Amino acid sequence: MQVAVDGPAGSGKSTVCKRVAIDNNLMYLDTGAMYRSVAYLSLKFDRDKLLDILESVEFIFSDNGSKLSLKSYEEVEDVTDIIRSSEITAIVSTVSSDELIRKILTVKQQIIASSNDIIMEGRDITTVVLPNADVKIFLTASVEERAKRRYAEVQGVTDKSYDEILADIIKRDDVDSNRDIAPLVKSDDSHALDTTALTLDEVIFEIGKLIVEKRG
Ligand code: DC
């Protein structure tokens, strides 16, 4: 069973997918965390070196996909917190516009999906990574609602104001949706789910229904 979920920043993908994964016995894969990790590595290595090591970097998810460690050259580094910093958030859209980086990560994601029942979330999962997924969902919410949720989520982590977070999201939406390679778009065969006025349980219920229908 492959469930592919795409949607813009702050649409609730991670929270929703983690719960759907547990309820339906699926592995959860957050591809945004993989792009964030590459953004983190890009602060340490120039592009050539980065591309060189990326092929062999292992992305080790644990704790139902909530934690992520990178293994390279036998060294394992827990990057769970650092990849959520505002420094990484500011550069991740640019790093993830790189065609070669996308190729490498896409292959890694497809390999993981080939041997697991999985729910995978990101920006190009329904269109590029798993175009033949059993269930495809495009999750969205109004930009104000998404900024509101992000603002509540990062209280105590950053001192950014609601307006700053709203501006960040608008900028990221623009880069993610208008890049040449694998932009965020809703595919014709994806179920659109606008979560603006829905509770978390309602969203989980809707997706669960689609999975159960598919499983028969
Ligand atoms: O889901 P997120 O906000 O943690 O993702 C971080 C960035 O990674 C996002 O701005 C776009 C990029 N991304 C991508 O280009 N393709 C994916 N499949 C997942 C994320």
Side-chain angles (χ1 to χ4, degrees):
M1 166 65 61
Q2 292 182 342
V3 182
V5 181
D6 285 325
S11 55
K13 298 185 302 293
S14 304
T15 316
V16 167
C17 292
K18 269 183 210 168
R19 282 269 306 272
V20 173
I22 294 169
D23 292 354
N24 296 277
N25 210 12
L26 301 169
M27 174 185 176
Y28 162 62
L29 189 80
D30 173 3
T31 62
M34 296 172 77
Y35 284 98
R36 285 173 178 274
S37 302
V38 179
Y40 169 64
L41 292 174
S42 78
L43 299 176
K44 295 186 177 185
F45 305 107
D46 65 31
R47 184 170 177 275
D48 285 348
K49 180 78 181 158
L50 176 65
L51 289 172
D52 193 35
I53 64 161
L54 201 52
E55 299 270 8
S56 60
V57 167
E58 259 184 76
F59 293 82
I60 306 168
F61 284 93
S62 57
D63 218 3
N64 293 324
S66 300
K67 290 194 162 194
L68 175 58
S69 295
L70 300 183
K71 185 173 177 190
S72 54
Y73 303 124
E74 292 310 308
E75 274 187 34
V76 179
E77 182 180 4
D78 182 341
V79 295
T80 309
D81 294 328
I82 187 81
I83 61 171
R84 303 286 158 195
S85 67
S86 45
E87 190 185 10
I88 300 299
T89 301
I91 60 169
V92 65
S93 278
T94 310
V95 172
S96 58
S97 300
D98 186 307
E99 187 174 7
L100 288 177
I101 289 173
R102 298 203 72 83
K103 271 196 179 148
I104 296 170
L105 289 197
T106 296
V107 170
K108 286 181 187 283
Q109 291 154 6
Q110 289 170 334
I111 289 171
I112 297 170
S114 68
S115 54
N116 290 284
D117 282 331
I118 198 163
I119 181 163
M120 193 183 290
E121 56 122 321
R123 303 294 190 286
D124 61 342
I125 313 305
T126 57
T127 52
V128 176
V129 181
L130 303 177
N132 299 316
D134 301 290
V135 177
K136 292 183 172 190
I137 290 148
F138 192 82
L139 209 61
T140 190
S142 73
V143 70
E144 293 80 12
E145 176 64 21
R146 291 188 280 128
K148 206 172 91 188
R149 290 176 191 168
R150 243 323 123 79
Y151 181 64
E153 214 175 271
V154 299
Q155 283 310 295
V157 181
T158 122
D159 51 12
K160 282 198 170 184
S161 68
Y162 167 82
D163 285 340
E164 284 171 316
I165 289 179
L166 179 66
D168 282 354
I169 288 188
I170 291 172
K171 195 166 141 208
R172 264 202 310 141
D173 280 358
D174 181 47
V175 180
D176 294 345
S177 305
N178 294 309
R179 67 181 174 220
D180 292 336
I181 306 134
L184 172 67
V185 282
K186 182 195 162 302
S187 66
D188 290 341
D189 56 355
S190 289
H191 297 266
L193 204 50
D194 184 338
T195 71
T196 309
L198 298 180
T199 64
L200 179 59
D201 283 341
E202 286 169 334
V203 179
I204 289 164
F205 179 75
E206 287 301 322
I207 299 178
K209 234 169 41 181
L210 295 169
I211 294 174
V212 169
E213 269 168 26
K214 197 72 199 183
R215 277 183 166 152

